[in-house]
Amino acid sequence: MADLATAVTVLDANGRAGVPSLLISGPGMGKSSLVRGLAAADGVLCKTVLGSLREPSDFAGLPVVREHGVTLEAPAWAKELVAGGGGYLFLDELTTSPPAVQAAMLAVALDLTVGDVQLPKGTRVIAGANPPDCAAGGYELEAPLANRFCHVEFTPSVDEWLDGMSTGWGAPPASRAVATDEQRVALVRSSITGFVQRNPDALDAFPSSAAQTGGAWPSRRTWSMLAAVLPHLREDDNAAINTAVFGLIGEGAGVEFLEWRRSADLPDPVAVVENPESAFDWQSRPDLVWAVLSGVTAWAVGRGTVEAWRSAWGPLIAAAEAGAPDVAGAAARTLAKARPAKATVPASARRFAPMLTAAGLMEAAA
């Protein structure tokens, strides 16, 4: 259960990453006021849509026959967001929306598509929900919709409520989220790929009970969403990191991932590129070697330059020399797919013919 400041931080990180958020708390906790306050603080539009009062066509679009064919006409709230250049879309009381309406929300939540209208990039989708046991005419969330949100459970403290009353709920706590870069993205991706490589069953773990499908659980989608969100959170912000992890992949897989991430203590990908022989012990466990090389590859791909691509071969060579040619070969295949135009493999890598053959680069090496 997150406090208000942590909830704001995770909402901000999700918004920066383009990940929808689901605020979960009991009635009267201030979900609507919080979202309106965030929009006011950002100086953007906030449109609130109550799913229980809407038809599926209010999200999927209303078919309209025109001269050139049938179009799916978007509702007024979507057109206002387009006209305003984006803002916040608040899907209030999500657990009171019947299954047919939830199905129509799928494209809205993740793709920002309403009928034939594309909402502006950067539009932040936040939903609000009471737990089903205290929602008026509540429904469990359908699994496809639940898996499109980061579930954030929060309860404002007494002091936070007093501050809200004093300011008219117009001054939400400052976010602790940060801007990101290729280095941070690469480090996060290395931790996720390393964990999944060691625990492949955690990649897709559909819940065994119907009640759990309406919450957070690990899927290929939510792991990708986590890879986008975590770079926007400070490494020392454990409260926000835990909230994001548990909100996207659930507590079971989340606890295992966080423990693996802590014990792995992966090095900075840039430090590994600069000092391939000394920045990491390449005789470590294969999953750790894989994670480090994945981080290096992600950094090089993120940079997108010939220089970065060529320098990323240094750690792969060091790993191959230290006795991990299979892992290095797997990383080489990934790196090969992102080869910039006219980039050639460094001469120092050409003696590792099996690794280059596996990567499909033997011709370039020759």
Side-chain angles (χ1 to χ4, degrees):
M1 188 74 69
D3 58 32
L4 186 57
T6 298
V8 167
T9 298
V10 175
L11 292 179
D12 187 21
N14 289 341
R16 293 171 185 239
V19 171
S21 302
L22 173 59
L23 277 174
I24 305 171
S25 67
M29 289 293 179
K31 296 183 287 293
S32 304
S33 298
L34 173 59
V35 176
R36 287 195 295 267
L38 292 173
D42 291 345
V44 297
L45 184 67
C46 178
K47 296 302 298 180
T48 299
V49 182
L50 193 61
S52 61
L53 303 179
R54 300 280 180 165
E55 297 293 330
S57 59
D58 288 317
F59 299 95
L62 183 67
V64 176
V65 178
R66 302 188 187 279
E67 292 183 2
H68 59 277
V70 178
T71 62
L72 296 175
E73 187 75 9
W77 58 264
K79 294 178 179 179
E80 289 180 43
L81 283 169
V82 171
Y88 283 73
L89 171 59
F90 184 48
L91 304 174
D92 201 4
E93 303 292 350
L94 191 63
T95 48
T96 66
S97 302
V101 173
Q102 291 187 32
M105 290 179 176
L106 294 176
V108 181
L110 201 58
D111 299 326
L112 299 179
T113 302
V114 186
D116 288 333
V117 168
Q118 181 70 46
L119 298 180
K121 184 179 180 180
T123 300
R124 298 192 174 192
V125 178
I126 300 178
N130 301 323
D133 58 355
C134 61
Y139 298 89
E140 292 283 357
L141 285 184
E142 296 294 308
L145 186 60
N147 198 239
R148 281 168 164 77
F149 284 95
C150 177
H151 300 239
V152 182
E153 299 184 24
F154 86 110
T155 300
S157 66
V158 173
D159 288 340
E160 289 169 336
W161 184 86
L162 293 172
D163 289 342
M165 285 293 290
S166 301
T167 61
W169 309 103
S175 169
R176 304 189 298 267
V178 296
T180 190
D181 54 33
E182 299 95 344
Q183 194 169 339
R184 294 176 62 86
V185 170
L187 186 58
V188 167
R189 289 185 178 178
S190 68
S191 66
I192 290 176
T193 56
F195 173 78
V196 173
Q197 196 273 341
R198 184 175 175 84
N199 304 275
D201 290 342
L203 179 59
D204 289 293
F206 191 81
S208 56
S209 69
Q212 293 176 324
T213 61
W217 42 276
S219 70
R220 296 166 195 257
R221 177 192 294 120
T222 53
W223 280 113
S224 297
M225 293 161 72
L226 185 61
V229 171
L230 284 185
H232 291 286
L233 299 175
R234 298 198 321 254
E235 284 296 317
D236 61 349
D237 195 346
N238 292 326
I241 289 174
N242 291 352
T243 299
V245 169
F246 297 156
L248 283 166
I249 61 173
E251 289 194 16
V255 168
E256 294 180 7
F257 168 67
L258 290 171
E259 176 57 27
W260 187 92
R261 188 170 182 256
R262 183 196 63 77
S263 62
D265 192 22
L266 299 176
D268 189 305
V270 174
V272 176
V273 169
E274 293 176 348
N275 299 287
E277 290 78 18
S278 59
F280 180 72
D281 180 8
W282 298 110
Q283 294 182 339
S284 298
R285 299 193 325 250
D287 60 309
L288 298 183
V289 175
W290 169 259
V292 172
L293 293 183
S294 295
V296 168
T297 302
W299 170 81
V301 172
R303 295 286 293 176
T305 64
V306 172
E307 180 183 2
W309 189 84
R310 285 175 57 83
S311 65
W313 283 93
L316 272 64
I317 295 168
E321 289 179 336
D326 293 341
V327 180
R333 284 194 295 271
T334 304
L335 189 61
K337 294 176 182 178
R339 178 170 55 158
K342 299 182 179 180
T344 58
V345 178
S348 56
R350 296 176 186 177
R351 64 182 183 275
F352 297 101
M355 182 175 71
L356 296 177
T357 302
L361 291 172
M362 199 61 199
E363 182 179 351

Short mmCIF file of all heavy atoms in Angstrom, two decimals, residues 27-79:
data_model
loop_
_atom_site.label_atom_id
_atom_site.label_comp_id
_atom_site.label_asym_id
_atom_site.label_seq_id
_atom_site.Cartn_x
_atom_site.Cartn_y
_atom_site.Cartn_z
N PRO A 27 -13.63 3.85 -1.07
CA PRO A 27 -14.40 5.03 -1.45
C PRO A 27 -13.99 6.25 -0.63
O PRO A 27 -13.68 6.13 0.56
CB PRO A 27 -15.85 4.63 -1.14
CG PRO A 27 -15.85 3.14 -1.11
CD PRO A 27 -14.50 2.74 -0.61
N GLY A 28 -13.95 7.39 -1.28
CA GLY A 28 -13.70 8.64 -0.57
C GLY A 28 -12.25 8.92 -0.24
O GLY A 28 -11.95 9.82 0.55
N MET A 29 -11.31 8.17 -0.83
CA MET A 29 -9.89 8.38 -0.54
C MET A 29 -9.26 9.50 -1.38
O MET A 29 -8.11 9.85 -1.18
CB MET A 29 -9.11 7.08 -0.76
CG MET A 29 -9.39 6.02 0.29
SD MET A 29 -8.76 6.54 1.91
CE MET A 29 -9.28 5.13 2.92
N GLY A 30 -9.99 10.03 -2.34
CA GLY A 30 -9.49 11.18 -3.10
C GLY A 30 -8.86 10.86 -4.44
O GLY A 30 -8.03 11.62 -4.93
N LYS A 31 -9.26 9.75 -5.05
CA LYS A 31 -8.68 9.40 -6.35
C LYS A 31 -8.99 10.46 -7.41
O LYS A 31 -8.10 10.91 -8.12
CB LYS A 31 -9.22 8.03 -6.81
CG LYS A 31 -8.82 6.87 -5.90
CD LYS A 31 -9.32 5.54 -6.42
CE LYS A 31 -10.82 5.38 -6.25
NZ LYS A 31 -11.26 5.28 -4.84
N SER A 32 -10.25 10.84 -7.50
CA SER A 32 -10.64 11.84 -8.51
C SER A 32 -9.96 13.17 -8.26
O SER A 32 -9.46 13.82 -9.20
CB SER A 32 -12.16 12.02 -8.51
OG SER A 32 -12.83 10.80 -8.72
N SER A 33 -9.92 13.59 -7.00
CA SER A 33 -9.30 14.87 -6.67
C SER A 33 -7.81 14.85 -6.98
O SER A 33 -7.24 15.85 -7.44
CB SER A 33 -9.51 15.18 -5.18
OG SER A 33 -10.89 15.31 -4.88
N LEU A 34 -7.17 13.71 -6.73
CA LEU A 34 -5.74 13.60 -7.01
C LEU A 34 -5.46 13.76 -8.51
O LEU A 34 -4.57 14.53 -8.90
CB LEU A 34 -5.21 12.26 -6.53
CG LEU A 34 -3.75 11.92 -6.90
CD1 LEU A 34 -2.80 12.97 -6.35
CD2 LEU A 34 -3.38 10.53 -6.42
N VAL A 35 -6.22 13.08 -9.34
CA VAL A 35 -5.98 13.16 -10.78
C VAL A 35 -6.26 14.56 -11.30
O VAL A 35 -5.49 15.11 -12.11
CB VAL A 35 -6.82 12.11 -11.52
CG1 VAL A 35 -6.64 12.26 -13.04
CG2 VAL A 35 -6.44 10.70 -11.08
N ARG A 36 -7.34 15.17 -10.83
CA ARG A 36 -7.61 16.55 -11.25
C ARG A 36 -6.50 17.49 -10.78
O ARG A 36 -6.12 18.42 -11.50
CB ARG A 36 -8.96 17.00 -10.70
CG ARG A 36 -10.16 16.37 -11.40
CD ARG A 36 -11.45 17.12 -11.06
NE ARG A 36 -11.78 17.00 -9.63
CZ ARG A 36 -12.58 16.07 -9.13
NH1 ARG A 36 -13.13 15.16 -9.92
NH2 ARG A 36 -12.85 16.04 -7.83
N GLY A 37 -5.98 17.26 -9.57
CA GLY A 37 -4.89 18.09 -9.08
C GLY A 37 -3.62 17.93 -9.90
O GLY A 37 -2.91 18.91 -10.16
N LEU A 38 -3.32 16.69 -10.33
CA LEU A 38 -2.15 16.47 -11.16
C LEU A 38 -2.29 17.18 -12.50
O LEU A 38 -1.34 17.79 -13.00
CB LEU A 38 -1.95 14.96 -11.39
CG LEU A 38 -1.54 14.13 -10.17
CD1 LEU A 38 -1.57 12.64 -10.52
CD2 LEU A 38 -0.17 14.53 -9.67
N ALA A 39 -3.47 17.11 -13.10
CA ALA A 39 -3.70 17.79 -14.37
C ALA A 39 -3.58 19.29 -14.21
O ALA A 39 -2.98 19.97 -15.06
CB ALA A 39 -5.07 17.41 -14.92
N ALA A 40 -4.15 19.82 -13.13
CA ALA A 40 -4.07 21.27 -12.89
C ALA A 40 -2.63 21.70 -12.69
O ALA A 40 -2.20 22.75 -13.19
CB ALA A 40 -4.92 21.65 -11.68
N ALA A 41 -1.85 20.89 -11.95
CA ALA A 41 -0.44 21.23 -11.72
C ALA A 41 0.35 21.23 -13.02
O ALA A 41 1.29 22.01 -13.19
CB ALA A 41 0.17 20.26 -10.71
N ASP A 42 -0.02 20.34 -13.95
CA ASP A 42 0.67 20.28 -15.24
C ASP A 42 0.10 21.27 -16.25
O ASP A 42 0.65 21.43 -17.34
CB ASP A 42 0.56 18.87 -15.83
CG ASP A 42 1.38 17.85 -15.05
OD1 ASP A 42 2.24 18.27 -14.25
OD2 ASP A 42 1.15 16.63 -15.23
N GLY A 43 -1.03 21.90 -15.89
CA GLY A 43 -1.65 22.86 -16.79
C GLY A 43 -2.25 22.23 -18.03
O GLY A 43 -2.21 22.82 -19.12
N VAL A 44 -2.82 21.03 -17.89
CA VAL A 44 -3.39 20.34 -19.04
C VAL A 44 -4.83 19.94 -18.73
O VAL A 44 -5.30 20.01 -17.59
CB VAL A 44 -2.58 19.08 -19.41
CG1 VAL A 44 -1.16 19.47 -19.83
CG2 VAL A 44 -2.54 18.09 -18.25
N LEU A 45 -5.52 19.50 -19.77
CA LEU A 45 -6.92 19.10 -19.66
C LEU A 45 -7.05 17.78 -18.92
O LEU A 45 -6.20 16.90 -19.01
CB LEU A 45 -7.50 18.97 -21.07
CG LEU A 45 -8.99 18.66 -21.22
CD1 LEU A 45 -9.82 19.83 -20.72
CD2 LEU A 45 -9.30 18.37 -22.69
N CYS A 46 -8.14 17.64 -18.18
CA CYS A 46 -8.47 16.37 -17.53
C CYS A 46 -9.91 16.01 -17.88
O CYS A 46 -10.84 16.78 -17.57
CB CYS A 46 -8.31 16.46 -16.01
SG CYS A 46 -8.75 14.93 -15.14
N LYS A 47 -10.10 14.88 -18.52
CA LYS A 47 -11.44 14.42 -18.87
C LYS A 47 -11.75 13.17 -18.06
O LYS A 47 -11.00 12.18 -18.09
CB LYS A 47 -11.54 14.10 -20.36
CG LYS A 47 -11.33 15.31 -21.27
CD LYS A 47 -12.32 16.43 -20.98
CE LYS A 47 -13.75 16.01 -21.22
NZ LYS A 47 -14.71 17.12 -20.95
N THR A 48 -12.85 13.21 -17.33
CA THR A 48 -13.28 12.08 -16.50
C THR A 48 -14.40 11.35 -17.21
O THR A 48 -15.39 11.97 -17.62
CB THR A 48 -13.74 12.56 -15.12
OG1 THR A 48 -12.66 13.22 -14.45
CG2 THR A 48 -14.21 11.40 -14.27
N VAL A 49 -14.26 10.04 -17.34
CA VAL A 49 -15.26 9.22 -18.01
C VAL A 49 -15.64 8.09 -17.07
O VAL A 49 -14.78 7.36 -16.57
CB VAL A 49 -14.71 8.64 -19.34
CG1 VAL A 49 -15.79 7.82 -20.04
CG2 VAL A 49 -14.22 9.75 -20.25
N LEU A 50 -16.92 7.96 -16.81
CA LEU A 50 -17.44 6.93 -15.90
C LEU A 50 -17.97 5.77 -16.73
O LEU A 50 -18.98 5.88 -17.42
CB LEU A 50 -18.54 7.52 -15.02
CG LEU A 50 -19.00 6.70 -13.82
CD1 LEU A 50 -17.86 6.46 -12.86
CD2 LEU A 50 -20.14 7.42 -13.10
N GLY A 51 -17.27 4.63 -16.66
CA GLY A 51 -17.60 3.50 -17.51
C GLY A 51 -18.97 2.92 -17.26
O GLY A 51 -19.61 2.40 -18.19
N SER A 52 -19.46 2.99 -16.02
CA SER A 52 -20.77 2.40 -15.72
C SER A 52 -21.91 3.13 -16.41
O SER A 52 -23.01 2.57 -16.55
CB SER A 52 -21.00 2.39 -14.21
OG SER A 52 -21.00 3.72 -13.70
N LEU A 53 -21.68 4.36 -16.86
CA LEU A 53 -22.72 5.14 -17.52
C LEU A 53 -22.53 5.19 -19.03
O LEU A 53 -23.23 5.94 -19.72
CB LEU A 53 -22.72 6.57 -16.98
CG LEU A 53 -22.90 6.72 -15.46
CD1 LEU A 53 -22.86 8.19 -15.07
CD2 LEU A 53 -24.21 6.08 -15.01
N ARG A 54 -21.59 4.41 -19.54
CA ARG A 54 -21.26 4.46 -20.96
C ARG A 54 -21.58 3.14 -21.67
O ARG A 54 -21.70 2.09 -21.05
CB ARG A 54 -19.77 4.75 -21.14
CG ARG A 54 -19.33 6.08 -20.52
CD ARG A 54 -19.66 7.25 -21.41
NE ARG A 54 -19.25 8.52 -20.82
CZ ARG A 54 -19.16 9.65 -21.50
NH1 ARG A 54 -19.45 9.67 -22.79
NH2 ARG A 54 -18.79 10.76 -20.90
N GLU A 55 -21.70 3.26 -22.98
CA GLU A 55 -21.88 2.09 -23.83
C GLU A 55 -20.53 1.73 -24.44
O GLU A 55 -19.62 2.57 -24.50
CB GLU A 55 -22.89 2.40 -24.94
CG GLU A 55 -24.29 2.73 -24.45
CD GLU A 55 -24.97 1.54 -23.81
OE1 GLU A 55 -24.67 0.38 -24.22
OE2 GLU A 55 -25.81 1.75 -22.91
N PRO A 56 -20.38 0.50 -24.93
CA PRO A 56 -19.12 0.14 -25.60
C PRO A 56 -18.74 1.10 -26.73
O PRO A 56 -17.55 1.37 -26.95
CB PRO A 56 -19.40 -1.28 -26.12
CG PRO A 56 -20.39 -1.83 -25.15
CD PRO A 56 -21.27 -0.67 -24.78
N SER A 57 -19.73 1.63 -27.43
CA SER A 57 -19.44 2.54 -28.54
C SER A 57 -18.81 3.84 -28.08
O SER A 57 -18.21 4.56 -28.88
CB SER A 57 -20.72 2.84 -29.33
OG SER A 57 -21.71 3.42 -28.48
N ASP A 58 -18.95 4.17 -26.79
CA ASP A 58 -18.32 5.39 -26.27
C ASP A 58 -16.80 5.24 -26.20
O ASP A 58 -16.09 6.23 -25.95
CB ASP A 58 -18.87 5.72 -24.89
CG ASP A 58 -20.30 6.24 -24.95
OD1 ASP A 58 -20.59 7.05 -25.84
OD2 ASP A 58 -21.12 5.81 -24.12
N PHE A 59 -16.29 4.03 -26.35
CA PHE A 59 -14.85 3.80 -26.35
C PHE A 59 -14.38 3.21 -27.68
O PHE A 59 -13.29 3.52 -28.15
CB PHE A 59 -14.47 2.86 -25.20
CG PHE A 59 -14.81 3.40 -23.85
CD1 PHE A 59 -16.00 3.06 -23.23
CD2 PHE A 59 -13.95 4.28 -23.21
CE1 PHE A 59 -16.32 3.57 -21.99
CE2 PHE A 59 -14.27 4.80 -21.98
CZ PHE A 59 -15.46 4.45 -21.35
N ALA A 60 -15.19 2.34 -28.26
CA ALA A 60 -14.82 1.72 -29.54
C ALA A 60 -15.22 2.57 -30.73
O ALA A 60 -14.77 2.31 -31.86
CB ALA A 60 -15.46 0.34 -29.65
N GLY A 61 -16.06 3.59 -30.51
CA GLY A 61 -16.51 4.43 -31.60
C GLY A 61 -17.89 4.03 -32.10
O GLY A 61 -18.24 2.85 -32.11
N LEU A 62 -18.66 5.01 -32.49
CA LEU A 62 -20.02 4.77 -33.00
C LEU A 62 -19.97 4.69 -34.53
O LEU A 62 -19.51 5.63 -35.19
CB LEU A 62 -20.95 5.90 -32.58
CG LEU A 62 -22.42 5.76 -32.98
CD1 LEU A 62 -23.06 4.59 -32.25
CD2 LEU A 62 -23.18 7.05 -32.69
N PRO A 63 -20.40 3.57 -35.12
CA PRO A 63 -20.37 3.46 -36.59
C PRO A 63 -21.24 4.52 -37.25
O PRO A 63 -22.42 4.66 -36.92
CB PRO A 63 -20.90 2.05 -36.86
CG PRO A 63 -20.71 1.31 -35.57
CD PRO A 63 -20.89 2.33 -34.49
N VAL A 64 -20.67 5.26 -38.18
CA VAL A 64 -21.39 6.30 -38.91
C VAL A 64 -21.13 6.09 -40.40
O VAL A 64 -19.98 5.96 -40.84
CB VAL A 64 -20.93 7.71 -38.49
CG1 VAL A 64 -21.63 8.77 -39.34
CG2 VAL A 64 -21.21 7.94 -37.01
N VAL A 65 -22.22 6.05 -41.19
CA VAL A 65 -22.09 5.85 -42.63
C VAL A 65 -21.82 7.19 -43.30
O VAL A 65 -22.58 8.16 -43.12
CB VAL A 65 -23.37 5.21 -43.21
CG1 VAL A 65 -23.23 5.05 -44.73
CG2 VAL A 65 -23.64 3.87 -42.55
N ARG A 66 -20.73 7.25 -44.05
CA ARG A 66 -20.39 8.46 -44.79
C ARG A 66 -20.21 8.10 -46.26
O ARG A 66 -20.31 6.92 -46.64
CB ARG A 66 -19.12 9.08 -44.22
CG ARG A 66 -19.23 9.42 -42.73
CD ARG A 66 -18.00 10.21 -42.26
NE ARG A 66 -18.01 10.40 -40.81
CZ ARG A 66 -18.71 11.31 -40.17
NH1 ARG A 66 -19.47 12.16 -40.86
NH2 ARG A 66 -18.65 11.41 -38.85
N GLU A 67 -19.92 9.12 -47.06
CA GLU A 67 -19.81 8.88 -48.51
C GLU A 67 -18.72 7.88 -48.84
O GLU A 67 -18.86 7.07 -49.75
CB GLU A 67 -19.54 10.21 -49.23
CG GLU A 67 -20.71 11.19 -49.17
CD GLU A 67 -20.42 12.45 -49.95
OE1 GLU A 67 -19.31 12.52 -50.56
OE2 GLU A 67 -21.27 13.36 -49.96
N HIS A 68 -17.60 7.94 -48.11
CA HIS A 68 -16.47 7.08 -48.43
C HIS A 68 -16.50 5.76 -47.67
O HIS A 68 -15.59 4.95 -47.78
CB HIS A 68 -15.16 7.81 -48.12
CG HIS A 68 -15.04 8.22 -46.67
ND1 HIS A 68 -15.62 9.38 -46.19
CD2 HIS A 68 -14.42 7.62 -45.62
CE1 HIS A 68 -15.35 9.48 -44.90
NE2 HIS A 68 -14.63 8.43 -44.52
N GLY A 69 -17.55 5.53 -46.88
CA GLY A 69 -17.65 4.28 -46.14
C GLY A 69 -18.08 4.51 -44.70
O GLY A 69 -18.57 5.60 -44.34
N VAL A 70 -17.87 3.50 -43.86
CA VAL A 70 -18.26 3.56 -42.45
C VAL A 70 -17.06 3.98 -41.62
O VAL A 70 -15.96 3.43 -41.76
CB VAL A 70 -18.79 2.20 -41.96
CG1 VAL A 70 -19.14 2.26 -40.48
CG2 VAL A 70 -20.00 1.78 -42.77
N THR A 71 -17.25 4.96 -40.77
CA THR A 71 -16.22 5.38 -39.83
C THR A 71 -16.71 5.16 -38.40
O THR A 71 -17.92 5.10 -38.15
CB THR A 71 -15.86 6.86 -40.01
OG1 THR A 71 -17.03 7.67 -39.75
CG2 THR A 71 -15.37 7.14 -41.43
N LEU A 72 -15.76 5.04 -37.48
CA LEU A 72 -16.08 4.89 -36.07
C LEU A 72 -15.90 6.24 -35.39
O LEU A 72 -14.78 6.68 -35.12
CB LEU A 72 -15.16 3.82 -35.42
CG LEU A 72 -15.34 2.41 -35.98
CD1 LEU A 72 -14.31 1.47 -35.36
CD2 LEU A 72 -16.75 1.90 -35.73
N GLU A 73 -17.01 6.91 -35.17
CA GLU A 73 -17.01 8.28 -34.64
C GLU A 73 -16.65 8.27 -33.16
O GLU A 73 -17.24 7.57 -32.35
CB GLU A 73 -18.38 8.91 -34.84
CG GLU A 73 -18.44 10.39 -34.48
CD GLU A 73 -17.78 11.27 -35.52
OE1 GLU A 73 -17.41 10.76 -36.60
OE2 GLU A 73 -17.64 12.47 -35.25
N ALA A 74 -15.65 9.06 -32.80
CA ALA A 74 -15.22 9.16 -31.41
C ALA A 74 -16.15 10.07 -30.62
O ALA A 74 -16.74 11.01 -31.18
CB ALA A 74 -13.80 9.70 -31.34
N PRO A 75 -16.30 9.83 -29.31
CA PRO A 75 -17.16 10.68 -28.48
C PRO A 75 -16.53 12.05 -28.23
O PRO A 75 -15.35 12.28 -28.52
CB PRO A 75 -17.29 9.88 -27.19
CG PRO A 75 -16.06 9.06 -27.13
CD PRO A 75 -15.73 8.71 -28.55
N ALA A 76 -17.32 12.93 -27.63
CA ALA A 76 -16.88 14.31 -27.43
C ALA A 76 -15.64 14.39 -26.55
O ALA A 76 -14.74 15.22 -26.79
CB ALA A 76 -18.02 15.13 -26.82
N TRP A 77 -15.56 13.54 -25.49
CA TRP A 77 -14.41 13.66 -24.58
C TRP A 77 -13.09 13.36 -25.29
O TRP A 77 -12.06 13.97 -24.99
CB TRP A 77 -14.58 12.74 -23.37
CG TRP A 77 -14.73 11.28 -23.66
CD1 TRP A 77 -15.89 10.57 -23.76
CD2 TRP A 77 -13.68 10.34 -23.88
NE1 TRP A 77 -15.63 9.24 -24.04
CE2 TRP A 77 -14.28 9.07 -24.11
CE3 TRP A 77 -12.30 10.43 -23.91
CZ2 TRP A 77 -13.54 7.92 -24.37
CZ3 TRP A 77 -11.55 9.28 -24.16
CH2 TRP A 77 -12.17 8.05 -24.38
N ALA A 78 -13.12 12.43 -26.25
CA ALA A 78 -11.91 12.12 -27.00
C ALA A 78 -11.53 13.27 -27.92
O ALA A 78 -10.35 13.63 -28.05
CB ALA A 78 -12.11 10.83 -27.81
N LYS A 79 -12.52 13.88 -28.56
CA LYS A 79 -12.24 15.01 -29.45
C LYS A 79 -11.69 16.20 -28.67
O LYS A 79 -10.83 16.93 -29.17
CB LYS A 79 -13.52 15.40 -30.20
CG LYS A 79 -14.01 14.32 -31.16
CD LYS A 79 -15.30 14.75 -31.85
CE LYS A 79 -15.78 13.69 -32.82
NZ LYS A 79 -17.04 14.06 -33.49
#
